[in-house]
Amino acid sequence: MNLAAMDPKNYDAQLEQKRIKLEQTFAEFTPPALEVFSSDPAHYRMRAEFRMWHEGDDLYYYMFDKELNEKVRCDQYIAAGTLINEMMAALIEDLKPNPALRHKLFQVDFLSTLSGEILVSLLYHRQLDDVWLEQAKQLKAKLSQHFNMNLIGRARKQKIDLDREFVIETLTVNGQTLHYKQIENSFTQPNAKVSVKMLEWAIDSTKNSQGDLLELYCGNGNFSIALAQNFNRVLATELAKPSVDAAQYNIEINKVDNLQIIRMSAEDFSDAMAKKRSFRRLEGIDLDSYDCNTIFVDPPRAGIDDETLKLVQGYQRILYISCNPQTLKDNLQTLSTTHKITRFALFDQFPYTDHMESGVLLERK
């Protein structure tokens, strides 16, 4: 993390550099004009993690700055949402004078929402006892007078939820209200306002679709739920059990009746579609009944494996969201032999860093 680079005055310039770099990276595929979706220049992150430094009676948050090659004290953090910054200040004032809560505390994680909920996780290099629990309850009661918050304590092979291990995010997407259960330590998009722009772009890219949608790597159903309106049915896969559980919850609270989630890896699902082997998790699901002309993929940084890439290539339209331009480029070497890019987007999820979130819509040649 280069904390010195986080200057809102530099925001437009750093976004322009990303635009140029992304266009140059994908020039060989002759994509259409790049659609650029900016972030707020400050207070855009909905989650943040800080290490804790103990110095006599003092206690403070810090991050490691790679450019300076040293730790930097963070009483406030310009990238984090306003709610996180408010909680940082309130929390540290109560931790400092409390031996039971600060003893061997080495990290604090924050997960917040645009809807006003925040989850605080305290991580320790010691086992948590009844004294810690009692003090933690008092801390939560005090902070809850001012914040809609939950508190978790973590130590090796130990986790204590004082209330619940998740927050409920509420996003307004094209005027529609969507609710998402986001679980501690599970993947969520860090920049909520840019996430809304990503959802709206994906909805716009797939409007007037025919048939059904297949989605791989669906997480907590973030895209599946928003895209369901454009398709007759949606079949989505995700391997991580907490994410699948959250997705099922999100399907129910958003009253989506045409979406089914299967807990499987993309690799196993590719084998199932190719009839290479059968899976107990697919019992009662007639894969042949789906008429999927469109496939949506939002893979991890490693991109799509070769077998899954063959599956993806079989669809008329491919909507691909990527957090790693290099693996997207590698995958496009294969996909571009059968498909052409008809939409191309940059989503600035991670301002002031080298990370770029991008999206392409590919249609069969």
Side-chain angles (χ1 to χ4, degrees):
M1 182 66 67
N2 182 359
L3 297 175
M6 293 183 177
D7 184 345
K9 294 195 296 292
N10 299 332
Y11 179 77
D12 291 339
Q14 67 90 36
L15 182 58
E16 177 64 9
Q17 289 176 349
K18 287 183 178 179
R19 181 192 67 78
I20 293 169
K21 185 175 180 179
L22 202 64
E23 287 182 339
Q24 291 174 342
T25 301
F26 292 92
E28 66 185 89
F29 303 107
T30 59
L34 182 65
E35 302 167 65
V36 179
F37 297 90
S38 62
S39 169
D40 285 349
H43 304 307
Y44 47 84
R45 282 191 66 93
M46 294 292 102
R47 62 175 197 253
E49 300 175 359
F50 300 93
R51 288 300 181 114
M52 303 303 295
W53 191 261
H54 299 254
E55 198 168 280
D57 291 336
D58 199 10
L59 175 71
Y60 59 84
Y61 310 100
Y62 76 92
M63 288 183 136
F64 190 80
D65 191 311
K66 291 181 180 177
E67 293 293 317
L68 299 175
N69 196 34
E70 63 182 34
K71 66 179 181 68
V72 177
R73 180 170 179 152
C74 296
D75 295 320
Q76 294 282 268
Y77 183 46
I78 192 171
T82 303
L83 181 57
I84 291 178
N85 278 284
E86 291 173 354
M87 176 58 83
M88 287 172 68
L91 179 66
I92 202 74
E93 285 306 306
D94 285 319
L95 290 176
K96 278 183 184 179
N98 193 314
L101 293 179
R102 66 177 285 173
H103 180 52
K104 293 196 174 181
L105 173 69
F106 73 92
Q107 184 168 316
V108 178
D109 299 347
F110 299 94
L111 173 62
S112 68
T113 64
L114 293 177
S115 58
E117 290 189 32
I118 187 165
L119 178 60
V120 179
S121 299
L122 306 178
L123 283 65
Y124 292 86
H125 283 313
R126 68 176 177 93
Q127 292 298 288
L128 306 179
D129 54 19
D130 291 342
V131 175
W132 179 90
L133 181 59
E134 181 56 36
Q135 291 298 311
K137 287 179 178 178
Q138 292 182 27
L139 172 66
K140 183 182 183 304
K142 181 179 178 182
L143 292 175
S144 292
Q145 295 175 26
H146 306 286
F147 298 94
N148 183 2
M149 62 95 68
N150 299 309
L151 185 65
I152 290 176
R154 280 187 173 275
R156 189 170 181 270
K157 295 184 178 180
Q158 189 180 24
K159 177 183 174 185
I160 300 176
D161 303 332
L162 268 68
D163 187 354
R164 60 188 195 185
E165 61 172 358
F166 62 88
V167 292
I168 302 294
E169 176 63 287
T170 300
L171 302 178
T172 302
V173 181
N174 289 332
Q176 179 185 9
T177 301
L178 297 177
H179 305 285
Y180 292 102
K181 181 181 187 178
Q182 298 180 342
I183 300 175
E184 185 236 17
N185 264 11
S186 293
F187 175 78
T188 56
Q189 297 284 1
N191 191 324
K193 290 183 180 178
V194 173
S195 295
V196 169
K197 295 178 181 181
M198 291 169 69
L199 293 172
E200 291 178 344
W201 180 84
I203 291 169
D204 187 59
S205 296
T206 57
K207 65 184 178 184
N208 303 319
S209 294
Q210 302 295 315
D212 304 324
L213 172 69
L214 173 63
E215 180 182 354
L216 308 181
Y217 322 96
C218 76
N220 69 350
N222 185 47
F223 281 97
S224 326
I225 286 164
L227 289 172
Q229 62 188 285
N230 284 350
F231 297 89
N232 295 333
R233 291 191 295 170
V234 179
L235 181 65
T237 71
E238 169 59 44
L239 182 59
K241 189 176 186 301
S243 293
V244 173
D245 292 343
Q248 300 291 9
Y249 180 96
N250 294 337
I251 289 170
E252 187 174 338
I253 61 172
N254 288 290
K255 298 180 170 58
V256 178
D257 59 8
N258 63 336
L259 167 58
Q260 182 155 19
I261 306 283
I262 303 169
R263 189 180 166 219
M264 292 184 80
S265 68
E267 294 83 354
D268 283 349
F269 187 78
S270 297
D271 285 350
M273 290 294 287
K275 304 286 197 295
K276 288 184 178 179
R277 53 193 176 121
S278 59
F279 294 86
R280 193 172 61 193
R281 287 176 180 173
L282 292 174
E283 287 178 6
I285 298 174
D286 182 6
L287 294 180
D288 293 333
S289 72
Y290 282 85
D291 178 26
C292 297
N293 299 316
T294 306
I295 187 168
F296 176 81
V297 288
D298 184 5
R301 289 190 61 78
I304 303 174
D305 66 277
D306 290 342
E307 283 302 307
T308 305
L309 206 57
K310 292 176 186 175
L311 169 71
V312 170
Q313 208 167 8
Y315 290 82
Q316 190 74 23
R317 296 194 302 169
I318 304 163
L319 191 62
Y320 191 142
I321 297 288
S322 169
C323 60
N324 185 342
Q326 190 53 57
T327 53
L328 173 59
K329 184 179 180 180
D330 292 343
N331 288 159
L332 284 175
Q333 300 292 347
T334 299
L335 296 176
S336 64
T337 62
T338 52
H339 292 70
K340 64 181 180 188
I341 301 176
T342 56
R343 291 189 72 166
F344 184 30
L346 165 63
F347 307 101
D348 198 18
Q349 274 273 0
F350 307 95
Y352 314 111
T353 74
D354 292 333
H355 295 294
M356 286 185 279
E357 195 97 2
S358 55
V360 291
L361 176 66
L362 296 137
E363 300 188 57
R364 193 181 299 283
K365 292 179 179 178

